[in-house]
Amino acid sequence: MTTRAEPGDEQSDPGLSAIMSERRQLINLAYRLLGSLADAEDVVQETYARWYAMSTQEQQAIESPGAWLVTVASRICLNLLGSARARRETYVGDWIPEPLPEPTEWITGRSDVGGIDPADRVTLDESVTMAFLVVLDSMTPAERVAFVLHDVFRYPFGEVAEIVGRTPAACRQLASSARRRVRTAQAPTGPSAGQASIVRQFKTAWEAKDIDALISLLDPHATATADGGGLAVTHLHPIVGGEQIARAYAEIARVAGDRTTFLECMVNGLPGLLAQQDGTIATVFAFEIAHDRIRHIWAVRNPEKLRPWRIS
């Protein structure tokens, strides 16, 4: 099923334009709920499929089609979040949310897309930084849905309750619990320009295999997590400690040799790095920086999660 309007469709279906205008909102919501662009697209497709499976009379009986679409998409996401926990038990290594490039670089990755469709972009803000998404992933499905709907998208608890299937008071408690998780985990961040400078220094030290310089840029208790999904060679367990990370990354640079190029870029709205090998993106690196030190590195190597990326 296509979700794009053909010329003249608006005239035969006056409500089509309004329905399709919700696509961007649904993509933004589903990505934050699932941490996967591919899954978010599937959710939006399924949501529209359910809308068009209804008769015209059933559609016209819905007072707010936009609210209906959000409700259906959220419930699909809630079900997927429950099953995702079981799937993670068989996932090879650590699971990291799918990284996103800048909006101007983002495309759906489908072969039939010739360029960027504004309706398919994910709006990048603090609610899609890698650190934030990792915290969201630690929540229960109900906590995550209640928190994202209320705190990020500003839906009142009465509407959240109808979606989650709990009372407004219970949803308020879920969101409050999620909020505490976020406050506990979030690091104080500086301006993007300052973070970009630190990432650039890290890149320079990494390319030079300068272990001392790398150590100076890393928090002593830093953690580096990688996600290969069993499809790319990587560390299966997080590397803990600034010195340990520096030595491990210096070894990675040594093994990679001249065939790897490190590029500065924006990852989920913050400065990050790309590793390009043989003309393709092999790894996307996201960073969490606090007090001018790198506190966490997330390295995504699973090729299934890198499809939105391309060399400009």
Side-chain angles (χ1 to χ4, degrees):
M1 185 196 82
T2 180
T3 59
R4 301 183 189 280
E6 298 297 332
D9 278 354
E10 290 85 350
Q11 297 171 346
S12 60
D13 183 357
L16 179 61
S17 179
I19 289 296
M20 298 317 331
S21 69
E22 299 292 333
R23 179 177 170 80
R24 181 173 182 173
Q25 172 85 342
L26 297 175
I27 284 283
N28 274 279
L29 172 64
Y31 175 73
R32 286 163 174 80
L33 288 178
L34 302 175
S36 165
L37 185 55
D39 288 346
E41 289 175 335
D42 289 343
V43 165
V44 174
Q45 293 286 75
E46 173 62 21
T47 300
Y48 278 117
R50 294 187 186 186
W51 171 264
Y52 285 107
M54 294 190 295
S55 66
T56 301
Q57 291 75 16
E58 289 173 322
Q59 292 174 358
Q60 292 175 343
I62 295 174
E63 183 177 348
S64 173
W68 185 92
L69 292 169
V70 168
T71 297
V72 171
S74 298
R75 287 175 177 167
I76 295 172
C77 288
L78 187 59
N79 290 334
L80 286 175
L81 286 170
S83 61
R85 289 177 175 258
R87 294 200 308 270
R88 300 278 176 80
E89 293 179 2
T90 60
Y91 194 83
V92 179
D94 286 283
W95 187 94
I96 298 175
E98 182 179 321
L100 291 178
E102 292 181 275
T104 53
E105 299 172 356
W106 191 88
I107 60 172
T108 63
R110 299 191 187 96
S111 59
D112 62 342
V113 177
I116 300 167
D117 184 339
D120 287 333
R121 291 178 182 165
V122 172
T123 304
L124 299 184
D125 58 28
E126 65 277 3
S127 69
V128 290
T129 64
M130 189 62 72
F132 192 88
L133 290 174
V134 168
V135 177
L136 289 180
D137 196 56
S138 70
M139 300 176 184
T140 67
E143 277 181 331
R144 186 167 184 169
V145 173
F147 175 76
V148 170
L149 284 171
H150 180 267
D151 283 44
V152 178
F153 288 89
R154 303 302 178 189
Y155 281 84
F157 282 118
E159 294 181 23
V160 175
E162 293 182 10
I163 292 171
V164 178
R166 306 199 184 189
T167 65
C171 290
R172 190 173 289 107
Q173 291 181 339
L174 288 169
S176 178
S177 173
R179 213 171 291 127
R180 285 194 297 271
R181 289 178 185 252
V182 171
R183 282 198 299 265
T184 300
Q186 276 190 325
T189 58
S192 181
Q195 295 187 56
S197 175
I198 293 170
V199 171
R200 185 173 299 118
Q201 293 175 56
F202 183 86
K203 170 180 174 287
T204 300
W206 191 7
E207 290 173 328
K209 308 175 191 62
D210 188 336
I211 293 177
D212 290 337
L214 289 171
I215 291 174
S216 71
L217 294 166
L218 290 157
D219 184 283
H221 304 290
T223 303
T225 307
D227 177 348
L231 302 175
V233 177
T234 190
H235 292 93
L236 288 178
H237 304 288
I239 306 170
V240 181
E243 182 174 347
Q244 288 80 358
I245 293 171
R247 295 188 183 282
Y249 271 54
E251 177 63 14
I252 291 172
R254 185 192 68 78
V255 173
D258 296 334
R259 67 189 185 92
T260 300
T261 302
F262 297 104
L263 307 171
E264 298 174 29
C265 65
M266 297 296 285
V267 180
N268 287 64
L270 291 175
L273 293 174
L274 298 180
Q276 181 185 353
Q277 292 180 344
D278 304 321
T280 62
I281 300 299
T283 314
V284 173
F285 297 91
F287 298 84
E288 182 182 43
I289 298 172
H291 306 298
D292 296 328
R293 292 287 189 95
I294 296 170
R295 191 169 89 161
H296 208 126
I297 302 173
W298 292 278
V300 180
R301 287 182 51 77
N302 185 339
E304 294 182 351
K305 296 184 178 184
L306 301 182
R307 65 181 183 83
W309 294 80
R310 66 178 184 182
I311 300 298
S312 303

